[in-house]
Amino acid sequence: MSGRSRGVLLVLCGAIFLEGVDVAMLNVALPSIRAELGLSTGALQWVMSAYVLGYGGFMLLGGRAADLFGRRRMFLLPLAVFLVFSGLGGLAGDGWTLVLARFVTGTCAAFLMPAGLSVITTGFPAGRQRTTALLVYSGTGGGGFSVGLVVGGLLTAADWRWVFFAPVVLAALILAAGLPLIPRTEEARGTEGARGTEEVRTDGTPAAGTTAGRRPRLDLPGAVTVTAAILLFVLTVERATHAPPVQTLATLAASLVLLLAFVLIEHRSPAPLVRPGIFRTRSLVRANLTGLLFTAGFFGFQFIAVLYLRELRGWSTLRTSFAMLAMGADVVLAPLLTPRLVRRFGTARVILGGLLLAAVAYAAFLPLGMDRAYAAMFPSLLLIGVAFALVHGPLTMTATDGVAEREQGLAAGLLYTSLQFGAALGLSAATAVAGAATAPGDAGLLTAYRTALLVPLLTAVLAVLLSPRERRRRRRLRPLTPPKPALCGPAAPDGRGE
């Protein structure tokens, strides 16, 4: 890997680290934000939900925009906007300014993340370089989330506004490094508009599979309907546990109607936002389903474990953060161990092994007690970190494998949309189950947490059943032909005529 390629990978890893640490730090800072700004429970919930809405709602559009308008442009521009609105959040004097800042930063992440992933899948040559880059990239994202739990606790102890100002500094550094390093794209001219741009590898050479085309066109009706459908669906999931049932059903119905309209539009569009044929790629579909289920379990477990330590055991924010740090083992294992395992066993087997480890870890955490020692919980937390290292990176490889380079941004957008939906579904399901099983007293709360932990266990088992499979390569058998007469030429080494 050349020095420039390493620089590009460092910038991309910085961006996904920024996204992970930004989300984690805010989670830790919420109680302090509520205390200073006097926010109600509903307003505080919107500070979190606004980011999820922007991120999940615009992810698919962001992925396609990277294909159509250039990955460099769709990486650097949202990063600059992210920087500005993160600073606005730090200056906020009321809850709705925070909500606006989080919605815009979530939307920026929806454009930034697919663009970054597609820079790797189109800019790094297929083989060992791309595999290593993908695994380092995905491991850095998980590590950012784990580090953010601890750093968020430290910054919040000083002033919760640093949780917003720290990402500004990091984003500025990434932007300054990205401007000279991220490879440029050239506007395409000539053929199919869906192809849009001609990509350049990290070493300055054109990426394979890209062709010139006339000025890119965005399927605007499709973009509007699918974005609205996703926004409403994420809103339904986020508010399912604390909104009236009638409201939940209404938003769900509206989301399904818009989704149906989107499907009809895509079938008739000459340049669809999502080409229906992309779902014939089985590895992509299985990777998306597995990613949705895995992240549902991961975030659902983390939510319940933090509540157990904070509310039932009375641990401080900082002590809880350090306790959960064991789940950050992926930041070390993903770049060091996972590439070797992938080369030795293949992506599908590594993913399956990680999912099985996750199921074992969730099951081992189930026998909670009022005074359970941390030493008894540590193996489960560590195994979940190992599972993340084995699943997340290889899933990104599987989800983009076999997809044309001009649709790599779309494939990345689909994967990140699935991961975001998984996180929202896991949190909502765990919250709903815990709420339904809660009874008065500490014993009732303990029972509720134990019951809610069945959600991540169930999702892990389902993910095992739906996980990607190794491709079976069909061997082409040459038809046997009778030996040619000697006059046709001298015999070949195998005894047949030429």
Side-chain angles (χ1 to χ4, degrees), residues 166-309:
V168 171
V169 177
L170 183 55
L173 293 174
I174 298 168
L175 187 61
L179 283 169
L181 286 173
I182 299 297
R184 294 183 177 277
T185 59
E186 298 175 1
E187 284 299 329
R189 296 180 299 273
T191 58
E192 184 181 349
R195 299 188 177 184
T197 56
E198 184 180 354
E199 295 299 331
V200 181
R201 290 198 189 280
T202 57
D203 58 5
T205 60
T210 58
T211 60
R214 74 169 176 265
R215 196 169 190 81
R217 293 182 301 160
L218 181 64
D219 174 19
L220 190 57
V224 171
T225 51
V226 74
T227 301
I230 293 173
L231 282 169
L232 284 174
F233 186 75
V234 174
L235 179 63
T236 301
V237 172
E238 280 292 299
R239 296 181 58 80
T241 57
H242 49 269
V246 175
Q247 188 181 55
T248 300
L249 291 174
T251 54
L252 178 60
S255 173
L256 294 177
V257 169
L258 287 169
L259 187 60
L260 178 60
F262 169 70
V263 172
L264 296 175
I265 289 170
E266 296 307 280
H267 275 285
R268 297 178 180 180
S269 175
L273 182 71
V274 180
R275 182 176 58 85
I278 197 172
F279 295 107
R280 295 173 189 163
T281 307
R282 293 185 180 180
S283 58
L284 179 144
V285 174
R286 281 185 173 270
N288 277 266
L289 290 174
T290 303
L292 186 150
L293 291 167
F294 180 72
T295 52
F298 182 82
F299 281 92
F301 170 83
Q302 187 170 252
F303 179 69
I304 296 300
V306 168
L307 287 180
Y308 165 72
L309 295 175

Side-chain angles (χ1 to χ4, degrees), residues 10-22:
L10 181 62
V11 169
L12 299 176
C13 286
I16 196 170
F17 181 86
L18 170 66
E19 192 273 334
V21 78
D22 178 68

Side-chain angles (χ1 to χ4, degrees), residues 59-426:
M59 185 70 72
L60 195 56
L61 179 60
R64 194 59 182 137
D67 292 330
L68 292 175
F69 304 113
R71 282 141 194 150
R72 172 188 166 86
R73 185 180 300 160
M74 290 297 106
F75 180 86
L76 296 175
L77 182 59
L79 181 60
V81 179
F82 182 100
L83 184 156
V84 172
F85 277 84
S86 185
L88 177 65
L91 297 172
D94 57 79
W96 289 109
T97 303
L98 272 182
V99 170
L100 172 64
R102 293 305 292 170
F103 179 78
V104 175
T105 52
T107 303
C108 290
F111 284 82
L112 184 64
M113 293 301 107
L117 179 57
S118 61
V119 167
I120 294 178
T121 57
T122 60
F124 286 77
R128 187 166 185 169
Q129 274 196 39
R130 187 181 296 177
T131 298
T132 302
L134 284 171
L135 295 175
V136 170
Y137 178 75
S138 59
T140 304
F145 191 88
S146 301
V147 171
L149 292 174
V150 177
V151 174
L154 295 172
L155 292 176
T156 303
D159 190 335
W160 65 263
R161 295 182 186 276
W162 279 106
V163 168
F164 291 88
F165 292 143
V168 171
V169 177
L170 183 55
L173 293 174
I174 298 168
L175 187 61
L179 283 169
L181 286 173
I182 299 297
R184 294 183 177 277
T185 59
E186 298 175 1
E187 284 299 329
R189 296 180 299 273
T191 58
E192 184 181 349
R195 299 188 177 184
T197 56
E198 184 180 354
E199 295 299 331
V200 181
R201 290 198 189 280
T202 57
D203 58 5
T205 60
T210 58
T211 60
R214 74 169 176 265
R215 196 169 190 81
R217 293 182 301 160
L218 181 64
D219 174 19
L220 190 57
V224 171
T225 51
V226 74
T227 301
I230 293 173
L231 282 169
L232 284 174
F233 186 75
V234 174
L235 179 63
T236 301
V237 172
E238 280 292 299
R239 296 181 58 80
T241 57
H242 49 269
V246 175
Q247 188 181 55
T248 300
L249 291 174
T251 54
L252 178 60
S255 173
L256 294 177
V257 169
L258 287 169
L259 187 60
L260 178 60
F262 169 70
V263 172
L264 296 175
I265 289 170
E266 296 307 280
H267 275 285
R268 297 178 180 180
S269 175
L273 182 71
V274 180
R275 182 176 58 85
I278 197 172
F279 295 107
R280 295 173 189 163
T281 307
R282 293 185 180 180
S283 58
L284 179 144
V285 174
R286 281 185 173 270
N288 277 266
L289 290 174
T290 303
L292 186 150
L293 291 167
F294 180 72
T295 52
F298 182 82
F299 281 92
F301 170 83
Q302 187 170 252
F303 179 69
I304 296 300
V306 168
L307 287 180
Y308 165 72
L309 295 175
R310 290 292 311 278
E311 295 188 351
L312 198 59
R313 302 293 298 274
W315 288 18
S316 67
T317 300
L318 202 56
R319 186 182 180 186
T320 302
S321 299
F322 277 113
M324 301 296 288
L325 193 58
M327 294 174 64
D330 59 292
V331 72
V332 176
L333 297 176
L336 298 179
L337 176 64
T338 310
R340 297 180 182 181
L341 294 177
V342 167
R343 288 194 292 270
R344 178 72 174 83
F345 300 105
T347 55
R349 291 178 182 175
V350 173
I351 291 171
L352 180 60
L355 294 173
L356 290 171
L357 281 180
V360 170
Y362 296 146
F365 203 83
L366 274 174
L368 292 179
M370 297 296 294
D371 55 354
R372 194 180 189 195
Y374 179 69
M377 296 183 277
F378 180 79
S380 289
L381 299 173
L382 182 62
L383 280 180
I384 292 169
V386 175
F388 196 95
L390 297 182
V391 174
H392 193 260
L395 269 182
T396 62
M397 297 167 60
T398 304
T400 55
D401 185 35
V403 178
E405 291 202 13
R406 65 179 181 271
E407 292 184 321
Q408 285 291 316
L410 172 61
L414 287 168
L415 176 63
Y416 280 120
T417 300
S418 297
L419 297 178
Q420 193 65 26
F421 274 171
L425 287 169

